[in-house]
Every structure is written in structure tokens, then in C-alpha cells.
Amino acid sequence: MRHHPAIDCFCMRLPFLAVAAVCILSAQSLRSLADERGIHFGAAVAPSHFSETAYASVLAREFNQVEPENAMKFGPIHPAPDTYNFAPADAIVAFAQAHGMAVRGHTLVWHNQRPAWLTGGTFTPDQLFSILQDHIKKVVGHYAGKVYAWDVVNEAFESDGTLRKTMWSHAPGIGLEGAGYIEQALKWAHDTDPKALLFYNDFSAETVNQKSDAIFKMAEDFKSRGVPLDGIGMQMHISSKPQPLPGIEANMKRITDLGLQVQITELDVKLPVDASGEATPAWLEAQAKVYRDIVALCLKNPRCTAIQTWGFTDKYSWIPGSSKGNGAALEFDAAYQPKPAYTAILSALEGRP
Ligand code: XIL
């Protein structure tokens, strides 16, 4: 149940100012406010950074959920036909367990970050069917009871709403028509860990458009036939342009009206940056407003159950590498200092306008 968060003032009555300050600070982490609102606030992470004290301490202090940014993808976790490399993702699960955080799994079926043995191989649909079945059963089985939700299939639609042609769907495909491979992947995951929540995840399908229409139709069909789909992940790699909030709200509502959850899975808000990766104060303020609006939108819908940023420090964001001239997309700067975006998220979680 969600309720209006009230910062616990018990500590403030203690006579020692220092103790009071610590209490206020800890009461105001994203994590504690998210706990009070009954939602997950997460970050995508890489285990190679856990040995960096600032990385580990900010992560544990501010977030109640983590998701591997890369470690559970097909290529990294299944590098050879008979080899699974679980160690990096296991380190993430261990960090989460040590700090009482939930773990989201990402992702079982995708057209990117596949291992060379898959991209370079020649397979019949029957062989691919077995490869995918084995992969899903091994990975979901390994993390059963540890990963509470999976992005089972990622980015299966084109922006015009047609199904993307990937090795799993058509070329050569696992031998099932249309969205049949998505349905099959959900069933394998569900059979392996019936308690895990299963998501379909995509980008640029946040508002009502051709892609989100196609995803909605698929979700409606799956729900009507009892296919084990629990929610839709909205990646939300966005910019500081004003967002189509009524459209996003309407899209969330039609999904949650089906009885599904929505989770914001990969939120970041890219900004134009200078050669040293810095954004101007005006851009940082515009970014803060976007973060505030998106968090507030999720909180308005009781079935929007998680908000996750794609990383949390600008030091390791994927944006400068993937979107030239842009960066500064996250809520902490490269020195782990909270940005205006952080304060905006806090106030949205507190329910302040
Ligand atoms: C990105 C990672 O952040 C990068 O480190 C990696 O090189 C490429 O993938 N949509 C997704 C994520 O679902 O898995 C992608 O992550 C970003 C876009």
C-alpha cells in the first residue's frame, strides 16, 4: 500500500545535532522514500565497479533494486554452446542480497549482444528452438528465487509496429509464426520459475504510437489466452525535451487496465555536453523537471511498480558512448554528487509538486 511519506522525525528529537543530520539524510534517500511508497527504485549496474567504495556505498544507500547492465545478456552469460558464465551476475545477486535489494533480470531474448557462436553459426529452426529453450531454462533456473522479475524478450518490435526480423523470429526463427517465439519464451521462463514476474521490454514505446499499439495488442492477446505475461517494461531512454506526459499516462493505463504491471526499466535523460562531459545549469534544470515528471507519472498509477535508471552515476553511463555529443544523463554526477535530477526525484517520491 502506498501512503504519503513522512520523514521520520524521531531522530530529530535526539539532542545531538550530528545524529539528527545523519537521520535526516538517511531518511531522505531515494531508497527509503521508495520503500515508503511501496515501489522499487533501481539502477543498472556492473559488478566490476563494486570494488569502488563510492560506487558501492551510493548504490546501497540510494536503491532498493539492481539489474545487471550487461552481465545476464546472452553473450556474456552463455559465451560458448556448453559454457555458462554466471560469476559476474552472481556477484550482483550477492551484492543485492547483502544490502536487501531486489534483482531484475535482463534479458533472455534479444537481437543484440549475442555470442559469436550464435551470430556466426548456421542453425535450423529446430536447433534454434532447442538452443533458446536450453538457454532460458538454465539462466532462469540458476536465478530462481533470486531474480524477482525478468525482461524475457527485449525490443521485438520495429517503430512501425511490425515484428523485428531477428534470428529468433524469422531468420531463421525458432519455427513459430509471428509473436509465437515471444509466447514460447514466456512459457519456458514461467515453467522454470513460476514465481518470477515476466516482462516484455522495449524502447520508444512509452507514449501511444504504432510500436506501443503493437505491444498492447500482443499483451491483450496474451492475457486473453493465459500466456504468462506479468508486465511491460518501458525503457525510457529520453532527452530533456518536454515529454508527452498525457500520452505516456494513457499508454500506462491501457496496459495496467489489462491487469498487467508497468515498470520503467532504463530511464536516463541525455543532455548536450561540452568536451569535458559537462552540461550547463539550465540543461540540468530541464533534466530535473523531466525526471520529476516521469517519477510522478509512475507514482500516479498503482500498477507502475518500479522505476529504474540505466546506471546512476554519469561516470559510467552508456550515453556518451552511444549518443555523440550527449551525456550527463543520470541523477549523480561523475564524482557521485547528487544533481538537480536527484533532488527532483526525491521530491517526486515525497509527493511534492
Ligand atoms: C546497453 C549497455 O548499457 C551498454 O553497456 C552495452 O554496450 C549495450 O547495451 N536497451 C537495452 C539495454 O535494453 O540492454 C542496453 O544496454 C541499452 C538499450
Side-chain angles (χ1 to χ4, degrees), residues 71 76-77 84-91 138-140 142-143:
I77 209 165
Y84 284 84
N85 177 25
F86 289 122
D90 286 354
K138 288 264 178 19
V139 176
V140 174
H142 185 83
Y143 293 108

Side-chain angles (χ1 to χ4, degrees), residues 69-70 73 106 110 113 154-155 201 235 237 266 310 318:
E69 183 169 351
N70 291 296
K73 291 172 181 172
H106 173 85
W110 195 26
Q113 291 181 274
N154 198 33
E155 303 180 353
N201 191 53
Q235 291 187 8
H237 294 291
E266 305 185 14
W310 203 241
W318 77 306

Side-chain angles (χ1 to χ4, degrees), residues 182-195:
I182 302 175
E183 176 172 346
Q184 182 62 74
L186 289 163
K187 288 176 174 165
W188 282 327
H190 182 71
D191 289 348
T192 310
D193 183 1
K195 291 203 175 122

